[in-house]
Amino acid sequence: AANVISANTRDGVLIWDSDQNEVIGNLIGTDVTGTADLGNLWSGVTAASGASQNLFHQNVISGNGDGVEFAYSGTDDNVVTANHIGLDVSGNHLLGNDSWGISIWGGASNNHIGGNSAADGNVIAGNGGDGVRITDATSRSNVIFGNRIFDNLGLGINLIPPSGVTANDPQDRDTGANSLQNFPVLISAVSSVDTRIQGWLNSAPNT
């Protein structure tokens, strides 16, 4: 913990075909105060070519080319929790990454972005592209939940192809990145004593 990993000409952290590593509590792409951009030219964090079951937790990953990148088949079951991706250490100011907050492609699958509890969710904001971007039909079953994703130049979550908002389809029978999972349609959100959200999701039956 407490490393400052910044101003490198490639990735800040690269895990290549290596398992069960932990990257926890670091400043990746900022100065020592965690408030100024001193980014790595490529990604802040890259796990690739079979890197699996690695944990990325409570880091500040901002000011880089990409924030976090998972690439190639076998890069599976990695967990990204409680990070600030695109924000400063306080979480109150946007520093951004030049491109995507998180990019998953080339067959990387079954990775978890966020978690069940509020403490596990990442804050992904201020990035120059999408908050979370998944490309390639072989990149499947990546779980994105419990995060705060806002103020990115692109979409919050973008499944490609096609680029842009992917239309919902009956019973979600199409194929693509993350199986082009249909998105929920929210009709209303009312907050008083309780918060009540109404909407619907049309997806594959009995799954």
Side-chain angles (χ1 to χ4, degrees):
N3 299 290
V4 178
I5 306 171
S6 300
N8 298 289
T9 57
R10 293 195 176 185
D11 300 301
V13 176
L14 173 62
I15 299 176
W16 188 274
D17 190 20
S18 182
D19 303 337
Q20 299 182 5
N21 301 284
E22 296 183 348
V23 181
I24 299 176
N26 304 287
L27 301 174
I28 304 174
T30 73
D31 70 350
V32 69
T33 69
T35 62
D37 179 341
L38 197 63
N40 300 289
L41 189 60
W42 290 8
S43 296
V45 172
T46 295
S49 293
S52 65
Q53 300 179 33
N54 299 290
L55 173 65
F56 306 93
H57 180 68
Q58 287 189 337
N59 302 285
V60 175
I61 307 172
S62 301
N64 307 287
D66 294 332
V68 177
E69 180 180 22
F70 294 147
Y72 305 128
S73 179
T75 304
D76 304 333
D77 301 307
N78 298 287
V79 177
V80 182
T81 54
N83 300 280
H84 288 171
I85 302 174
L87 298 102
D88 73 348
V89 67
S90 73
N92 296 321
H93 302 287
L94 302 179
L95 293 180
N97 293 284
D98 293 342
S99 296
W100 332 115
I102 297 177
S103 176
I104 302 173
W105 60 281
S109 300
N110 300 308
N111 298 289
H112 285 238
I113 312 301
N116 287 319
S117 72
D120 287 334
N122 303 283
V123 185
I124 305 169
N127 298 288
D130 304 312
V132 179
R133 178 183 178 91
I134 304 177
T135 61
D136 193 321
T138 61
S139 291
R140 299 183 179 135
S141 303
N142 296 287
V143 179
I144 307 162
F145 60 126
N147 305 286
R148 294 176 58 210
I149 306 175
F150 60 92
D151 280 347
N152 299 287
L153 191 60
L155 297 179
I157 300 171
N158 198 355
L159 308 181
I160 298 175
S163 186
V165 177
T166 304
N168 283 336
D169 59 310
Q171 298 188 355
D172 213 0
R173 291 174 172 167
D174 47 358
T175 59
N178 245 26
S179 301
L180 296 183
Q181 169 68 49
N182 279 355
F183 58 86
V185 176
L186 302 182
I187 299 169
S188 68
V190 178
S191 180
S192 54
V193 177
D194 299 316
T195 298
R196 184 168 299 177
I197 299 172
Q198 294 182 305
W200 55 268
L201 173 67
N202 186 324
S203 192
N206 302 313
T207 62

